[in-house]
Structure formats: C-alpha cells, structure tokens
Amino acid sequence: MTLGTHMLAAVVASLALNLPLIPALLGALLPDLDLKKSLPFPPKRTLFNAHRGITHHLLWLPVLFMASLWVKDFINHTLGVWLLSFTVGFATHLFLDALTPLGIPYKHTYYPRLSLKLFKTGKLGELFVILILLFVLLYQVQHENLNYLEILGLGGLNEVLH
C-alpha cells in the first residue's frame, strides 16, 4: 500500500479507538523506513536486506503492545497511551501490507509470508480500500463530538486555553 493509504488507515483507527493521532501516524510510517536500505535485486532476500523485512515483522505487534501497557501502568500513563497509539498505527500498516501479494514476514526468515493476496499496491484494489477508509472517516467526523486537541495528543492544552 502507498503512504497515503497507510496514513488514512492510522487516522481512522486512532479516531475509532480515541487515541492521539500523531503517534498513530508515526507508527503507520515507521515500517517503510526500510525502503532506503533495501537492495533493488538482492541476491537472496533476508529480513535485513529487503523491503518488508524486519520492520514489517509480525512479532513487533505483541512486543509494542505489551511495552505500551507496561509503560502506561508503571512509568507514565500519557506516554503509555502514546505508545499504544503508535502500536495501533504500526498495526494498521502491517494489516494493509498483509492484504497485498508480497505480504509480511512472520517467521525468522524472509519467506514464508503472511499474505491474503487481495489487493496490489497502487492498483484499483487499493483505491477500493481508500474509499472504504474515507467513508469510515466521514462517518466518524459526522457522528462524533471530536476534540481535536485530544486527537492530536495535546489534551493538556485544553487546561491552558480555558
């Protein structure tokens, strides 16, 4: 999936779960940091030399989720919520990429991969996903009393402004 689709999914998910938007967006963008490090035609793809390698591994989700709960309960509640939001954005990225033919890794090697093979990146199927996400977003905006400072994770400014 493309950058815009990943960002849109993170927005929809963070609004649905009433989580701050900024960390969800960061989580949705982080897995594709491996794009610059990937080799165009590596001799043998591994988790560490190709796109959708280690940064797209399914194991990150339980690790991030457990870390966010631990931080929320034992270190700082707000930081834990931000980490949970980051995890949700990360999860949306992995979910969308798992819908494509390349999929995402789930073992200690690049292959085999989890792939539902429903949509190709940048093709008509992705447009269908975008339309669904836009409809959900429009519904959320119309039917929710949204506090935009809270959404951005800046809820503390409410006290300063009022």
Side-chain angles (χ1 to χ4, degrees), residues 23-143:
L25 288 171
L26 292 174
L29 299 177
L30 179 78
D32 280 343
L33 285 179
D34 67 357
L35 279 174
K36 295 199 183 233
K37 293 186 178 183
S38 63
L39 303 172
F41 301 103
K44 180 179 179 187
R45 289 184 176 176
T46 70
L47 288 176
F48 301 98
N49 74 350
H51 178 50
R52 292 201 195 171
I54 194 68
T55 62
H56 284 72
H57 202 285
L58 201 54
L59 185 60
W60 284 111
L61 295 181
V63 169
L64 287 169
F65 180 71
M66 295 305 290
S68 67
L69 294 180
W70 188 81
V71 168
K72 183 177 83 56
D73 290 343
F74 297 108
I75 296 180
N76 181 289
H77 183 271
T78 302
L79 185 60
V81 170
W82 272 60
L83 185 54
L84 181 60
S85 180
F86 177 89
T87 304
V88 166
F90 197 93
T92 63
H93 187 112
L94 295 188
F95 173 74
L96 289 175
D97 281 355
L99 298 176
T100 67
L102 180 56
I104 58 173
Y106 65 92
K107 288 193 171 184
H108 65 283
T109 57
Y110 191 77
Y111 294 109
R113 303 173 72 76
L114 174 64
S115 172
L116 299 177
K117 297 180 174 104
L118 295 176
F119 307 106
K120 288 187 176 180
T121 299
K123 302 292 183 192
L124 190 59
E126 184 170 0
L127 181 59
F128 178 70
V129 171
I130 291 169
L131 289 174
I132 290 172
L133 289 169
L134 284 174
F135 280 123
V136 172
L137 180 62
L138 287 173
Y139 178 84
Q140 288 172 324
V141 169
Q142 288 181 346
H143 293 87

Side-chain angles (χ1 to χ4, degrees), residues 5-15 21 24-25 27-28 88-89 92 96:
T5 307
H6 286 303
M7 292 177 69
L8 182 57
V11 169
V12 168
S14 66
L15 287 176
L21 179 60
L25 288 171
V88 166
T92 63
L96 289 175

